[in-house]
Amino acid sequence: MHTITPPSEETSADQRLLAEAGRFTKAAFDARPVLTADDSDLDLHLFRGTYLPAFAAAEALDDNRPVGADLAWLRLTTPAGTPTGLGVLAVGKDPSAHVPGAYLQFVRYQGVDLDAPVVDQHELRGNVVGTAARLSALLAGHLRTRLAESDGFREEQVPDYPPEALRETCMNAIMHRDYENSFAPVRIAWFDDRIEVTNPGGPYGQVRPDNFDRVTDYRNPGLARAMKALGYVNRFGRGIWRIRSAMARGGSPVPEFHVDASSWLVILRKWP
């Protein structure tokens, strides 16, 4: 038997959500309530086991504290309990159901252009934690190594792309992309001679095409903080420097950054 909610209660709930949304209108997207989501859309097991310990030492956690209080404390929900953009992106069960562009597309081409045969492709539609784990395994599976001389008579296996450069490029794309105004995914196109990573959203705030490698600003400040706490990015404001440094140490070509009003494109070229 189904319980029918009286119209007055439905109206009251709608008014509460609209009022709550109004209070957050000037906040960053990841701090605003996602009105299509509720607490059942959040993976509470993931939150308790992985997300919460990244922000608080185990001995400081109170097992008797309501999980809703911790979700609100970490801005994954509003004080009234509505999931925020951060909550949906970081620990949501299906982020793209509420934020259409919140997924990653990977395509491996057997060739050097878009007409080449596709040998592997994936859509990663999980939260940040799940996407990072799947992406790490996916990228590692496509890396190849070569023998290179080190010191003396020793040789070592060197990957065709430095893993650190790949990780920084992909994680920064997820962190900085525009989730509010674009339904396009982060795209990773892997060719025989290069990898192209594209994310929707041009320069934000103080960042411009002529200073993007020196100035940092955050379209998604809560997501940036979460990804740092979880270990997916190491230091704020050093992503581009780390990509360049990793490519240089591996003897790879200098990475290319193409920035326009609506997107970022990073090109990592294979070692010669």
Side-chain angles (χ1 to χ4, degrees):
M1 180 176 179
H2 297 286
T3 302
I4 300 176
T5 303
S8 60
E9 291 185 20
E10 290 182 351
T11 302
S12 176
D14 290 343
Q15 290 174 341
R16 177 183 61 78
L17 288 174
L18 289 173
E20 188 170 66
R23 292 199 299 273
F24 287 85
T25 52
K26 294 185 179 180
F29 169 76
D30 60 3
R32 296 181 215 155
V34 177
L35 301 184
T36 59
D38 58 37
D39 56 3
S40 68
D41 292 302
L42 303 181
D43 186 337
L44 298 184
H45 178 74
L46 174 66
F47 171 70
R48 291 191 183 99
T50 301
Y51 195 93
L52 182 58
F55 286 88
E59 59 272 16
L61 298 178
D62 183 356
D63 292 336
N64 297 318
R65 178 180 164 103
V67 66
D70 286 327
L71 288 167
W73 168 54
L74 290 173
R75 311 293 176 86
L76 301 180
T77 66
T78 65
T82 304
T84 60
L86 175 59
V88 169
L89 295 172
V91 298
K93 295 176 182 176
D94 183 8
S96 63
H98 305 282
V99 182
Y103 69 102
L104 184 148
Q105 183 182 76
F106 173 92
V107 183
R108 175 67 168 97
Y109 296 92
Q110 190 174 43
V112 297
D113 56 43
L114 296 174
D115 290 332
V118 173
V119 295
D120 194 17
Q121 58 183 326
H122 299 269
E123 281 191 358
L124 308 187
R125 290 184 175 269
N127 52 54
V128 167
V129 177
T131 294
R134 289 186 61 195
L135 182 60
S136 177
L138 180 60
L139 296 177
H142 283 277
L143 281 174
R144 299 294 178 264
T145 60
R146 63 185 170 98
L147 281 175
E149 292 184 3
S150 56
D151 57 317
F153 293 98
R154 294 185 302 170
E155 291 183 327
E156 61 179 346
Q157 296 283 342
V158 178
D160 44 9
Y161 298 95
E164 181 183 355
L166 265 178
R167 182 183 67 248
E168 287 286 336
T169 300
C170 295
M171 290 296 101
N172 274 274
I174 291 171
M175 182 172 70
H176 288 293
R177 66 149 295 161
D178 185 350
Y179 289 98
E180 182 176 13
N181 300 303
S182 175
F183 292 171
V186 170
R187 291 189 174 95
I188 302 173
W190 192 312
F191 300 94
D192 285 350
D193 63 342
R194 70 194 185 281
I195 297 172
E196 298 185 357
V197 180
T198 309
N199 64 303
Y204 177 80
Q206 301 180 65
V207 180
R208 304 186 307 270
D210 63 337
N211 70 5
F212 70 89
D213 57 348
R214 305 186 306 277
V215 175
T216 301
D217 210 334
Y218 293 95
R219 177 179 278 112
N220 307 301
L223 183 61
R225 176 173 174 256
M227 292 180 71
K228 184 175 185 299
L230 290 164
Y232 299 137
V233 294
N234 291 292
R235 289 190 184 181
F236 289 147
R238 297 189 65 193
I240 292 174
W241 179 86
R242 289 177 66 86
I243 293 166
R244 286 173 169 163
S245 179
M247 292 290 281
R249 288 197 305 272
S252 300
V254 175
E256 301 167 30
F257 298 88
H258 302 273
V259 185
D260 60 35
S262 61
S263 67
W264 287 67
L265 167 65
V266 181
I267 301 176
L268 306 179
R269 296 195 180 275
K270 191 176 178 180
W271 42 256

